[in-house]
Amino acid sequence: MLSLVFLVLFGPHVLFSTTPVAVIEPQDPALLIGSSLTVTCTLGAGAELQAGALYWTLNGRRLPPSGPAPLGSPAPLGGRTLSVTLLRLNGSQQRSGDNLVCHAGDGRVLAGSCLHVGMPPQKPVNLTCWSRNTKDLSCQWSPGGEGETFIPTQYILKYKLRWYGREKECEVYSAGQQRYSCHIPRDLALFTPYEIWVEAANQLGSNTSDVISLDILDVVTTDPPDSVAVSRVGEQEDQLRVHWASPPALKDFLFQAKYQIRYRLEDSEEWKVVDDVGNQTSCLLGGLWPGTVYFVQVRCNPVGIYGSRKPGIWSDWSHATAASTPLTGESAASTPLTGESAASTPLTGESAASTPLTGESAASTPLTGESAASTPLTGESAASTPLTGESAASTPLTGEPFPKTALLFSSEILWHYCLSVSTDPGLYVSLCWNNHISPPGD
């Protein structure tokens, strides 16, 4: 118990000593690529070590104790300090900086420093922005030059209304391969231009992109078209019809949409684009291969929202929809039209009788070469039965008039004339008329 009290009262410096074992100078320097640097490791007053027992590592690799190494070689300065000179430094291999560490002879870490070797940022380029359905604003850009600074570099997208308003900063960032972007989700004004730019900075310098000016309505894009469907065109072997719906998010806006279609074979990665679709929501694809599966996609460009004269920005492509063209000679009976009977009219030489049309008797007119006599149409007298006073003469030849037949009805005579004309082998058209002669005195 007495020992514990003694440690608490008289020995706090033993328990909580902040005296470093060693110190490295300079600490965490930032250097341009190609620079050289001399770094020292000086032991603290309480360290029971000699500089000759120390060594260096850079990113975990031990530096040689002597000799003309590319990174230099360590050298003791007196009894308490060890130095190393690093020659013609390359860009940092780690984004957080290269780790230069001073070790005791037994491997213990005595002190360390991060070396930030790189370049100042160049002017950001290719700044472009777009608004999805006028609700937000997204911008992306590329770092200038080769794009690699080798050290942490911060990019800030700033924007403000051109004629009034304070400067604001975008807050939601993301980074890709040589591409940066930022998203502004809300609180944007319409019908007034914004000024937008990007500032880049790191430990070695800063730079600013060109300022772009835009109106939100001039950079609107939308979701891909909805409900894309692809269907066959009857039995057409080389055609498919594509239907789609306008983007629902823009239904309340005044705009003139443009559409593009692209399609490819199932086993191909090469797309063919159809540009001249216009504002319609369907399109016929022709010149296709029979019996082949095609993948089809559609995208939209909402041109002229509220009178904007900018060309607009294309949406993403819709999900691919697949359909196949019919095979050559493939039978695909079409659905009968409304009012038609299910059976189709037989072709020439077929024996099956077709379903009669409205007003026709049950038996259809026989085809060429058939022997069955047809039933007369409604209101037509039976051709096979001769009229009163008419002889059972055979049907006259083409162009030969029927014989005149005199019929007596009370006090007047009715002359009945007919002319038969052939328009096709086996088909005759009869033209008939009557002539009335009244008896004298009537």
Side-chain angles (χ1 to χ4, degrees):
M1 178 64 71
L2 290 176
S3 299
L4 180 59
V5 172
F6 176 82
L7 287 173
V8 172
L9 294 178
F10 302 102
H13 64 284
V14 176
L15 295 177
F16 309 106
S17 175
T18 59
T19 303
V21 178
V23 175
I24 289 182
E25 293 291 341
Q27 187 64 222
D28 302 336
L31 306 113
L32 290 171
I33 292 176
S35 300
S36 297
L37 175 69
T38 298
V39 184
T40 61
C41 176
T42 303
L43 296 171
E48 298 180 355
L49 296 170
Q50 293 296 319
L54 309 181
Y55 67 91
W56 296 93
T57 61
L58 182 63
N59 292 332
R61 183 168 65 90
R62 185 165 179 166
L63 300 181
S66 62
L71 292 175
S73 57
L77 300 176
R80 312 292 296 176
T81 302
L82 181 70
S83 70
V84 65
T85 299
L86 307 175
L87 305 174
R88 299 178 298 279
L89 291 168
N90 295 320
S92 294
Q93 300 177 21
Q94 303 175 150
R95 183 63 59 180
S96 58
D98 293 329
N99 296 316
L100 181 64
V101 179
C102 178
H103 297 265
D106 57 3
R108 286 179 297 155
V109 174
L110 302 180
S113 178
C114 284
L115 309 182
H116 302 283
V117 185
M119 300 184 299
Q122 298 190 43
K123 181 173 74 174
V125 296
N126 301 327
L127 174 59
T128 57
C129 300
W130 65 93
S131 174
R132 185 172 295 276
N133 305 320
T134 75
K135 306 299 184 184
D136 60 6
L137 187 68
S138 297
C139 297
Q140 66 180 10
W141 63 93
S142 300
E146 297 181 359
E148 181 60 76
T149 61
F150 297 96
I151 61 177
T153 301
Q154 184 181 30
Y155 293 92
I156 300 176
L157 180 96
K158 295 186 177 182
Y159 63 100
K160 72 178 187 69
L161 293 172
R162 178 187 291 177
W163 295 299
Y164 59 91
R166 62 184 181 85
E167 184 179 294
K168 297 181 180 180
E169 294 184 3
C170 184
E171 298 179 354
V172 184
Y173 292 88
S174 60
Q177 185 69 27
Q178 296 296 308
R179 202 73 173 163
Y180 296 84
S181 62
C182 193
H183 180 66
I184 305 171
R186 64 183 71 86
D187 301 330
L188 294 166
L190 302 180
F191 305 103
T192 185
Y194 279 92
E195 291 183 343
I196 304 173
W197 66 97
V198 176
E199 295 179 356
N202 61 24
Q203 291 175 281
L204 297 175
S206 62
N207 221 321
T208 303
S209 73
D210 293 333
V211 178
I212 64 171
S213 179
L214 58 85
D215 190 309
I216 300 297
L217 296 177
D218 292 338
V219 293
V220 175
T221 186
T222 186
D223 301 314
D226 198 15
S227 305
V228 178
V230 185
S231 58
R232 294 181 177 182
V233 184
E235 297 182 13
Q236 297 296 324
E237 303 165 352
D238 63 341
Q239 297 180 8
L240 289 173
R241 183 170 294 280
V242 187
H243 294 269
W244 62 89
S246 298
L250 293 177
K251 63 180 180 180
D252 298 327
F253 290 90
L254 180 63
F255 74 102
Q256 183 77 18
K258 290 196 306 184
Y259 296 97
Q260 265 187 353
I261 296 175
R262 70 177 185 179
Y263 61 95
R264 64 174 176 85
L265 298 172
E266 181 182 22
D267 56 354
S268 173
E269 296 298 326
E270 182 178 352
W271 293 92
K272 183 175 182 180
V273 178
V274 181
D275 285 314
D276 54 350
V277 180
N279 192 34
Q280 57 190 343
T281 55
S282 67
C283 181
L284 187 67
L285 302 180
L288 308 179
W289 292 98
T292 305
V293 176
Y294 286 88
F295 287 96
V296 181
Q297 292 179 302
V298 186
R299 67 177 180 174
C300 175
N301 186 334
V303 179
I305 290 186
Y306 289 136
S308 171
R309 297 186 178 183
K310 298 296 183 179
I313 298 176
W314 288 103
S315 71
D316 294 331
W317 290 101
S318 65
H319 294 297
T321 302
S324 64
T325 52
L327 287 170
T328 302
E330 181 178 1
S331 61
S334 60
T335 305
L337 301 176
T338 304
E340 281 191 310
S341 60
S344 62
T345 303
L347 300 175
T348 302
E350 287 185 317
S351 60
S354 62
T355 303
L357 299 176
T358 304
E360 281 191 311
S361 59
S364 64
T365 302
L367 300 174
T368 303
E370 288 185 316
S371 60
S374 62
T375 303
L377 298 177
T378 303
E380 183 182 337
S381 62
S384 60
T385 304
L387 297 174
T388 305
E390 183 181 4
S391 62
S394 60
T395 304
L397 297 176
T398 302
E400 180 183 348
F402 276 79
K404 296 183 291 185
T405 304
L407 302 178
L408 179 63
F409 294 95
S410 67
S411 60
E412 67 177 9
I413 297 176
L414 172 66
W415 287 96
H416 183 73
Y417 296 89
C418 286
L419 176 66
S420 179
V421 180
S422 175
T423 59
D424 193 63
L427 179 62
Y428 291 89
V429 177
S430 296
L431 304 176
C432 299
W433 66 94
N434 298 321
N435 187 20
H436 297 263
I437 301 177
S438 300
D442 287 355

